[in-house]
Amino acid sequence: MKVFCLNKISPVGLKVLPKEYEVYTESIEGADAIMVRSAAMHEMELPESVLCVARAGAGVNNIPLDKFAGEGVVVFNTPGANANAVKELTIAMMLLAARDLRGSMEWVKANKGDELINKSMEKAKGAYAGTEILGKTLGVIGCGAIGALVADAAAKLGMKVLGVEPSEATVEKNKELLKAAKIVSMDEMLKEADYISVHVPLLDATKGMVNKEFLAKAKDGVIIINAARDALVNDDDMKAALECGKVRRYVTDFPNYKSANMEGVVAISHLGASTEEAEDNCAAMAAHEIVEFVENGNIINSVNFPRIEMGARGDAKRVVVLHKAELASGEILKTVGEVKNVLKSASGVKGEFAATVVEFECKDGPHSCLKDALAGMPGVLRVRVIK
């Protein structure tokens, strides 16, 4: 089994791969799986041998999900693996906005040649005074793996936390971390929050969500924290809000040319998941997802195909069918049953795409007959027999 790494992947994660899996970084030809971090894949043409792509991180806007799904390539991500790293950076970002630590440090650097710096700084420090976060209200938009951790940490630091999360399932899943937070509407949060931290994926529905209408509803002097994606914020609207004082500070881990040149912006060079621990965790999870799919047909944390979990395969044989949603899994089971003894199966649908995995034992006839029969069905994208 050949695994191609588009980016440098943590050796800790690569150790999760069985010893018979070979890791390559030079040539993608003949690769069975790809591990990637931030490398852009939109212009890439994958060899037909590629079964899956595992993103060692949560965001997948560098990967053409529908294109790969149409080619029968499963794309995984690693939700939650870097959540603690992003949480810690988010808290640091709030503190950087509350206290002008950057300005203070720059003053020290500029005056390091002053032999009496310890005295002169007492006169200068007033220019860098700030506020405390204790007792302030934090609005958390998106209460998933990262947002819930941020909410919990902020509450423990003495902040009032208001969460905005439309998914009841997400709130229930993270209820322990959110027990000190109050889930409210977006408008209610905007009226009360002194700080707003955004933790949602970049989708068509969320692109530019922090815009003039959003900011107009916020408190005067609000601080916006963005450790998610730059395009969630409308740069022109943010610039106008900073200039008029509506926004006190904009702290972003995703600076671009516009935001990096705005007054009132504290820009960090995309360090959210850049910790040794996060890189190890993401790589290990990505490797585990590849192995589960290759060895057992299990689809865990895919962003373009449904979740399928059938446990370890053991000595049994399985067929993995990736197909369009309009093809009913029952038709696939019927076809398998005509040539094999079906032991168990699992299926699911995600948007336009679906997956059906069937465990079977042999009747008469080679596996190639089964594969050909399934591949000929309308809507089938890929068939793989695991034996």
Side-chain angles (χ1 to χ4, degrees):
M1 191 61 58
K2 181 178 178 180
V3 179
F4 178 73
C5 296
L6 266 176
N7 297 105
K8 184 179 179 181
I9 303 295
S10 161
V12 173
L14 295 178
K15 287 180 181 178
V16 173
L17 297 171
K19 60 182 180 180
E20 62 268 22
Y21 282 56
E22 299 178 272
V23 177
Y24 294 80
T25 58
E26 298 299 323
S27 173
I28 196 173
E29 291 306 315
D32 298 287
I34 295 173
M35 295 183 76
V36 62
R37 291 178 64 197
S38 58
M41 300 188 70
H42 286 277
E43 303 303 320
M44 290 185 64
E45 294 299 327
L46 301 183
E48 291 185 7
S49 58
V50 174
L51 302 173
C52 59
V53 174
R55 158 79 164 100
V60 289
N61 52 319
N62 58 319
I63 303 172
L65 303 180
D66 288 345
K67 175 187 174 183
F68 286 176
E71 296 172 358
V73 176
V74 178
V75 179
F76 303 104
N77 70 344
T78 56
N82 61 11
N84 187 71
V86 180
K87 174 207 76 175
E88 290 186 3
L89 184 68
T90 301
I91 298 300
M93 292 165 82
M94 282 198 288
L95 294 171
L96 283 169
R99 309 282 291 271
D100 191 2
L101 302 178
R102 181 182 61 172
S104 176
M105 289 186 288
E106 288 175 351
W107 181 90
V108 173
K109 185 176 180 179
N111 292 273
K112 63 183 180 181
D114 181 2
E115 293 183 357
L116 298 176
I117 188 173
N118 56 319
K119 293 184 178 180
S120 56
M121 70 182 180
E122 294 302 322
K123 296 179 180 179
K125 69 180 184 181
Y128 309 108
T131 59
E132 298 179 14
I133 64 173
L134 178 67
K136 303 300 191 300
T137 299
L138 170 66
V140 178
I141 303 177
C143 297
I146 296 170
L149 284 172
V150 170
D152 180 60
K156 289 174 178 175
L157 288 169
M159 300 186 79
K160 177 183 176 182
V161 181
L162 302 177
V164 178
E165 176 51 65
S167 170
E168 293 183 7
T170 298
V171 174
E172 177 63 23
K173 180 180 179 181
N174 297 306
K175 63 182 179 181
E176 285 302 309
L177 290 170
L178 295 171
K179 59 186 178 183
K182 181 181 180 183
I183 304 300
V184 299
S185 68
M186 183 74 79
D187 284 353
E188 185 177 347
M189 181 276 293
L190 289 172
K191 290 178 184 178
E192 297 188 36
D194 304 296
Y195 294 77
I196 297 173
S197 191
V198 185
H199 300 284
V200 297
L202 179 59
L203 307 170
D204 289 341
T206 59
K207 186 176 182 180
M209 63 178 289
V210 181
N211 53 28
K212 60 183 179 182
E213 291 80 15
F214 176 102
L215 296 169
K217 296 177 181 179
K219 290 178 67 174
D220 291 344
V222 68
I223 291 171
I224 306 293
I225 308 293
N226 180 9
R229 283 291 183 270
D230 67 322
L232 296 170
V233 175
N234 182 298
D235 292 321
D236 294 332
D237 292 350
M238 178 58 71
K239 182 179 180 181
L242 286 164
E243 289 175 346
C244 73
K246 181 70 178 183
V247 175
R248 177 179 153 198
R249 288 278 190 279
Y250 172 42
V251 193
T252 178
D253 194 33
F254 292 87
N256 54 39
Y257 182 76
K258 285 186 176 181
S259 60
N261 287 280
M262 289 182 200
E263 290 294 326
V265 170
V266 179
I268 299 167
S269 59
H270 193 191
L271 296 180
S274 295
T275 66
E276 292 181 11
E277 295 88 347
E279 291 180 9
D280 291 348
N281 292 342
C282 287
M285 185 182 289
H288 174 72
E289 291 162 351
I290 289 172
V291 174
E292 278 294 318
F293 182 59
V294 170
E295 304 291 336
N296 300 308
N298 293 323
I299 302 175
I300 303 170
N301 295 325
S302 174
V303 287
N304 61 350
F305 280 97
R307 190 178 189 93
I308 302 286
E309 289 191 81
M310 291 179 60
R313 181 172 56 87
D315 295 328
K317 299 173 179 63
R318 289 180 183 174
V319 61
V320 180
V321 185
L322 303 177
H323 55 100
K324 290 292 189 69
E326 56 260 30
L327 174 59
S329 61
E331 293 299 312
I332 294 171
L333 282 170
K334 179 181 177 181
T335 300
V336 176
E338 289 173 353
V339 293
K340 305 292 180 184
N341 294 320
V342 174
L343 301 177
K344 62 180 180 178
S345 67
S347 63
V349 174
K350 190 165 192 169
E352 298 178 28
F353 302 99
T356 301
V357 180
V358 185
E359 186 167 296
F360 64 90
E361 61 182 8
C362 291
K363 290 182 181 179
D364 295 332
H367 298 316
S368 59
C369 296
L370 172 62
K371 188 172 182 180
D372 291 343
L374 291 169
M377 298 180 72
V380 169
L381 303 169
R382 187 170 210 148
V383 179
R384 180 169 61 97
V385 177
I386 307 173
K387 53 185 178 179

